[in-house]
Amino acid sequence: MARMKVHYSFRPTQQAAPALQAAPALQVVAPRPSPTGQVDRYNWNNEVRIRSVRSYEPTSIAELVAIVKHEPAIRVGGSLHSFNDSLQTAPGGAFVDMRKLNRIDEPVRHADGSVTVRLQAGATVEQTATFLAERGLAFENLPTSEHITIGGAIANGVHGSGLTSPTVLAELVVGMRIITSDGEEKEVAAADLPLYRVNLGLLGVVSSIELRVVPDFDLVTKDDTITGESEIVAALAPERLRREVSSFQSVLYVINPNLADPDQSAVTRWGLVKVTDENRAEVADLPRRDTYTTRSALTRFTYLQAYKAAAAAGSGWLGRSLMSTIRERTASQHEPTVGRSALMYHMWGDVPVHDVSYAVPFDKAQTAYVRFMAKLRELDYESPVPMSMRFLRGSDATVMGVNSGGDVVSFELLTSTFFDDRYSGDVDEGFRAARDAFEEIMHELGGRPHWGKEFSRNPRSNYPEQSWLRFALEHAKVGAKLTNPWSKLMAPVHLAGGTS
């Protein structure tokens, strides 16, 4: 199947200012027209250009309804953290920026002891987690980026990592309101929520979401490192892997292979353990993290400069040495720290990357690792960014989630965009070969790609056929205006039109 072509160009990123209250008037974005009369936006890492003939920034649900009714084709977005052409509008379509629809309502405590919070789809993970923490509440697990909007995170099945709690944010959805392509705002029936939770931005425009939350809790970092290829492979045996992963509330395996000396290959486990009455005394004297500090401007700047230097040095000994140093630093262990849950899930920084991620059945993780490491040695390719593994507990709460139907291990292959060709925008040849091999191996093992990241293989064969058909029929009913070229090729919408 042909790979979709994405045109790359570096552009400055603008962050939306945090806000929890909606403003009153419709603002139609009217930037200076380009020579083609089109409006251009760029995703978070400035690699995907989004073109539309009109762009809106609604500040109320009524305005959003009016836009959906008026426009013949639309696409909605928030922080634009997706890596692929799912962000594109259809030809002649309009783009709707949801970030000003970010109101968060006061949590509701129910008679059965549960707590839920209703929010608009443009609220970010950081805004929501901070809002909840101020009220003594939290999510059980969080993704590693706090800048993603809740609506986008749910649409793409964004996830954290762990087997002891729900890791896909969409699984926490207990209520959802959408605007259909006909301009009708309605509440999704409870029986239909499994289909709507991971909606790919194609089942109507999500206007508000109700999420299940829990009392806030402390976490403590608990990192360690497995060294040597044979030890790493042994640690991925299904029973041992399940036992060790289950000792964490959340854990990320950071893979730093050494092709020249497999005995020096390493996997660092960045673990988070819940603080309970049993271990509270042990962590009482550890330093606390009480603010978002891990994504400081200085940290981001330092890594950007390091990657630029490595890219400029090329593939010789200096470039490889710089890349090795970067990998070792980024994969190093953290000093033990305690903090509130909302502050503890975040990584070292948003370095612009290409990101390919596939979730394979849990018991195939060891096979996937062994096969891919062998392929990397054959290709003589070492990624400048450490690879990683995340762990997702199986769920029946979503139909199109990567963990729908069983536990999975999500493998992630990355490279900095600074290694792209500076003139054409093409990715590095080594990474392209590694990416193609990665996709082939993961797909053969039943892997499902992360919907918001880069992939070139239609995942239909790795989902139940009935799931694909249900999604297609519902899309035709409520979300036809949201179709774009990417969804016709990669998402379960084409069946509604009778094509394969």
Side-chain angles (χ1 to χ4, degrees):
M1 174 179 156
R3 183 182 300 279
M4 295 188 71
K5 177 65 176 175
V6 180
H7 299 283
Y8 301 105
S9 177
F10 190 81
R11 294 291 187 277
T13 301
Q14 295 183 351
Q15 297 289 340
L20 300 180
Q21 298 299 323
L26 174 64
Q27 178 186 358
V28 179
V29 180
R32 292 181 182 177
S34 64
T36 59
Q38 294 177 314
V39 178
D40 285 2
R41 292 171 183 253
Y42 292 83
N43 74 327
W44 81 277
N45 67 355
N46 304 294
E47 286 296 292
V48 179
R49 181 172 60 180
I50 305 153
R51 315 199 77 178
S52 58
V53 295
R54 288 169 299 281
S55 182
Y56 297 93
E57 293 183 12
T59 57
S60 72
I61 300 301
E63 293 167 1
L64 182 59
V65 169
I67 293 166
V68 176
K69 283 183 176 179
H70 174 74
E71 290 292 340
I74 59 173
R75 197 69 180 140
V76 299
S79 64
L80 305 183
H81 206 276
S82 294
F83 294 77
N84 58 44
D85 282 343
S86 63
L87 295 168
Q88 303 291 358
T89 59
F95 182 82
V96 180
D97 186 332
M98 296 287 287
R99 287 177 296 175
K100 291 185 178 179
L101 291 175
N102 57 10
R103 190 186 70 240
I104 305 174
D105 295 338
E106 285 298 320
V108 177
R109 300 176 187 272
H110 301 276
D112 62 0
S114 64
V115 183
T116 61
V117 61
R118 171 78 67 164
L119 50 89
Q120 292 179 332
T124 66
V125 169
E126 179 180 7
Q127 290 170 359
T128 308
T130 302
F131 179 91
L132 292 172
E134 291 169 351
R135 290 154 178 79
L137 299 168
F139 294 114
E140 289 181 84
N141 207 302
L142 280 173
T144 54
S145 174
E146 70 269 30
H147 302 307
I148 307 172
T149 60
I150 298 293
I154 288 168
N156 286 325
V158 169
H159 58 83
S161 179
L163 295 179
T164 61
S165 63
T167 47
V168 176
L169 195 59
E171 294 174 30
L172 306 180
V173 173
V174 296
M176 182 185 295
R177 292 188 68 81
I178 67 163
I179 300 167
T180 70
S181 287
D182 294 332
E184 175 192 1
E185 187 184 19
K186 70 173 188 176
E187 186 79 21
V188 175
D192 293 331
L193 282 175
L195 187 62
Y196 274 81
R197 288 187 176 113
V198 178
N199 57 71
L200 313 185
L202 293 166
L203 299 183
V205 177
V206 177
S207 56
S208 68
I209 304 149
E210 186 178 7
L211 298 166
R212 182 179 72 253
V213 296
V214 298
D216 200 2
F217 51 91
D218 272 351
L219 291 168
V220 58
T221 58
K222 182 182 178 182
D223 298 355
D224 61 4
T225 300
I226 307 167
T227 304
E229 193 72 7
S230 60
E231 289 298 319
I232 294 170
V233 172
L236 298 182
E239 290 186 8
R240 176 177 168 183
L241 183 63
R242 184 177 297 278
R243 181 173 63 253
E244 294 181 352
V245 170
S246 297
S247 67
F248 298 96
Q249 178 73 8
S250 177
V251 63
L252 173 70
Y253 280 39
V254 185
I255 305 169
N256 193 3
N258 188 315
L259 302 186
D261 185 0
D263 288 341
Q264 296 304 310
S265 293
V267 167
T268 303
R269 292 188 287 207
W270 289 348
L272 293 169
V273 176
K274 186 178 286 190
V275 177
T276 63
D277 291 341
E278 287 74 23
N279 64 4
R280 195 175 304 278
E282 301 173 19
V283 304
D285 296 329
L286 293 177
R288 290 191 63 89
R289 184 196 300 171
D290 291 317
T291 59
Y292 286 99
T293 58
T294 55
R295 290 174 179 265
S296 68
L298 179 60
T299 300
R300 178 178 171 81
F301 176 80
T302 300
Y303 278 104
L304 289 177
Q305 298 311 308
Y307 280 115
K308 285 180 179 178
S315 58
W317 71 268
L318 179 58
R320 287 201 172 210
S321 177
L322 286 170
M323 287 190 287
S324 178
T325 300
I326 293 170
R327 286 200 307 271
E328 289 174 4
R329 293 289 179 88
T330 57
S332 60
Q333 294 181 201
H334 304 112
E335 292 298 321
T337 307
V338 177
R340 302 306 282 170
S341 63
L343 306 176
M344 296 294 285
Y345 286 104
H346 310 299
M347 292 171 62
W348 44 267
D350 277 330
V351 174
V353 294
H354 296 289
D355 191 340
V356 189
S357 177
Y358 273 74
V360 300
F362 194 93
D363 61 0
K364 295 183 179 180
Q366 186 184 55
T367 301
Y369 175 86
V370 169
R371 286 185 59 183
F372 188 55
M373 287 303 110
K375 192 65 178 180
L376 288 183
R377 290 190 174 87
E378 177 186 324
L379 297 171
D380 190 28
Y381 176 76
E382 287 191 358
S383 172
V385 183
M387 295 177 290
S388 68
M389 296 166 60
R390 290 187 175 89
F391 308 90
L392 287 70
R393 188 173 73 181
S395 175
D396 60 3
T398 67
V399 171
M400 299 308 300
V402 294
N403 64 332
S404 176
D407 297 345
V408 296
V409 178
S410 178
F411 286 84
E412 193 166 22
L413 176 69
L414 309 97
T415 186
S416 170
T417 61
F418 292 119
F419 294 92
D420 293 351
D421 184 276
R422 68 186 65 185
Y423 300 108
S424 68
D426 291 340
V427 298
D428 172 77
E429 288 185 10
F431 178 75
R432 183 167 62 246
R435 177 196 61 194
D436 293 346
F438 177 79
E439 283 204 80
E440 181 178 2
I441 291 168
M442 298 298 163
H443 186 79
E444 287 178 359
L445 293 174
R448 298 169 176 174
H450 190 303
W451 287 109
K453 299 188 178 177
E454 297 177 357
F455 61 97
S456 64
R457 289 175 175 267
N458 185 301
R460 176 176 171 181
S461 62
N462 290 332
Y463 282 90
E465 184 66 17
Q466 187 61 28
S467 299
W468 208 263
L469 181 59
R470 284 180 60 198
F471 192 102
L473 293 174
E474 196 70 11
H475 163 76
K477 185 166 65 175
V478 302
K481 282 187 177 182
L482 296 162
T483 305
N484 63 1
W486 176 89
S487 68
K488 291 179 180 178
L489 194 62
M490 292 294 185
V493 302
H494 55 277
L495 294 181
T499 60
S500 60

